[in-house]
Amino acid sequence: AQKVTQAQTEISVVEKEDVTLDCVYETRDTTYYLFWYKQPPSGELVFLIRRNSFDEQNEISGRYSWNFQKSTSSFNFTITASQVVDSAVYFCALFSSGFGTGTRLQVTL
Amino acid sequence: DTAVSQTPKYLVTQMGNDKSIKCEQNLGHDTMYWYKQDSKKFLKIMFSYNNKELIINETVPNRFSPKSPDKAHLNLHINSLELGDSAVYFCASSQGWGRRGQNTEAFFGQGTRLTVV
């Protein structure tokens, strides 16, 4: 069975706070791909990152960073110094077929 | 140039009608998808085609029928529309798919908001 769990339904932070969005996955495959997507209020879905199961290196892109840990089946996403423009729904996905339920992030001034 | 385009963007129709949503990608990708996003923002895959071959067919009423005339197009036809079909439908494409070969990120269209009244 394949499953992605994003336990945080909604998170509210004040601008400049750091925030971590959790993602836990289940799969029996030894090779798999994980993704994060962003859906801003305008509605489009924007790809953020892809990680394959053999690459456990953490990744940083500007204020965004991702922590992939196979031992805990987690692929968490941290936004440092959050900004209002980060307000969106964020989806974690396993392959292209298994999306989590999303975490709505609200960043206020 | 839009990478993945779907039409129409909005569709309001009565129960019982038949409607189609068209999708085209100009990225040269081999794989295309249809997803449904409900009012709670849950995003669920419906179908996936790889090189015009159906590879994912989730539990979807058979009133929904995808058609892929070529690998750049994946249209969605819905018969006998019901109130519960109201949702945003997203088309997407990727270079690879699933468990075989390279699986790359999906590029999404802007979505079609379907409202059944």
Side-chain angles (χ1 to χ4, degrees):
Chain A
Q2 309 226 61
K3 192 177 171 185
V4 173
T5 301
Q6 294 180 255
Q8 304 149 308
T9 309
E10 207 159 327
I11 302 175
S12 287
V13 298
V14 176
E15 206 176 38
K16 295 184 185 161
E17 281 184 19
D18 298 346
V19 58
T20 295
L21 310 182
D22 298 333
C23 173
V24 173
Y25 62 91
E26 291 174 35
T27 180
R28 290 193 186 131
D29 290 288
T30 53
T31 301
Y32 51 89
Y33 295 83
L34 294 159
F35 304 85
W36 275 94
Y37 292 87
K38 174 182 180 180
Q39 188 174 38
S42 49
E44 73 272 23
L45 280 150
V46 178
F47 163 77
L48 295 177
I49 190 170
R50 174 189 64 186
R51 174 66 72 233
N52 75 51
S53 51
F54 295 113
D55 182 2
E56 283 196 74
Q57 271 193 330
N58 289 331
E59 177 142 348
I60 298 175
S61 174
R63 297 183 297 107
Y64 294 172
S65 62
W66 291 268
N67 183 358
F68 175 36
Q69 299 218 350
K70 279 177 86 168
S71 59
T72 55
S73 297
S74 65
F75 186 39
N76 297 337
F77 172 29
T78 297
I79 302 175
T80 304
S82 60
Q83 299 177 0
V84 171
V85 292
D86 296 326
S87 297
V89 180
Y90 291 87
F91 293 96
C92 180
L94 177 62
F95 296 107
S96 295
S97 51
F99 276 71
T101 49
T103 297
R104 182 182 297 276
L105 174 64
Q106 186 71 38
V107 182
T108 55
L109 292 170
Chain B
D1 251 2
T2 307
V4 181
S5 60
Q6 47 183 116
T7 53
K9 193 170 178 186
Y10 300 96
L11 185 52
V12 180
T13 188
Q14 290 190 325
M15 270 196 312
N17 283 351
D18 303 340
K19 289 292 177 187
S20 291
I21 307 172
K22 295 187 176 180
C23 180
E24 176 182 5
Q25 55 98 0
N26 62 7
L27 298 166
H29 287 167
D30 291 334
T31 307
M32 295 186 73
Y33 311 83
W34 277 108
Y35 296 84
K36 178 180 179 180
Q37 186 172 44
D38 64 20
S39 57
K40 292 183 181 174
K41 294 287 192 179
F42 295 159
L43 197 60
K44 198 168 176 206
I45 192 164
M46 300 171 70
F47 303 103
S48 178
Y49 272 72
N50 179 256
N51 279 319
K52 295 169 47 182
E53 182 189 342
L54 181 65
I55 52 172
I56 294 177
N57 186 359
E58 291 295 311
T59 308
V60 172
N62 57 16
R63 297 181 295 103
F64 290 79
S65 53
K67 287 220 168 36
S68 182
D70 54 61
K71 72 175 196 177
H73 295 83
L74 181 62
N75 303 323
L76 183 65
H77 189 75
I78 317 169
N79 287 331
S80 304
L81 277 154
E82 300 177 358
L83 292 176
D85 298 331
S86 297
V88 179
Y89 292 84
F90 285 97
C91 175
S93 72
S94 67
Q95 183 59 44
W97 75 278
R99 295 160 180 80
R100 297 182 195 162
Q102 292 278 320
N103 180 261
T104 64
E105 64 275 16
F107 290 79
F108 285 82
Q110 81 275 29
T112 295
R113 182 174 294 277
L114 171 65
T115 304
V116 182
V117 298

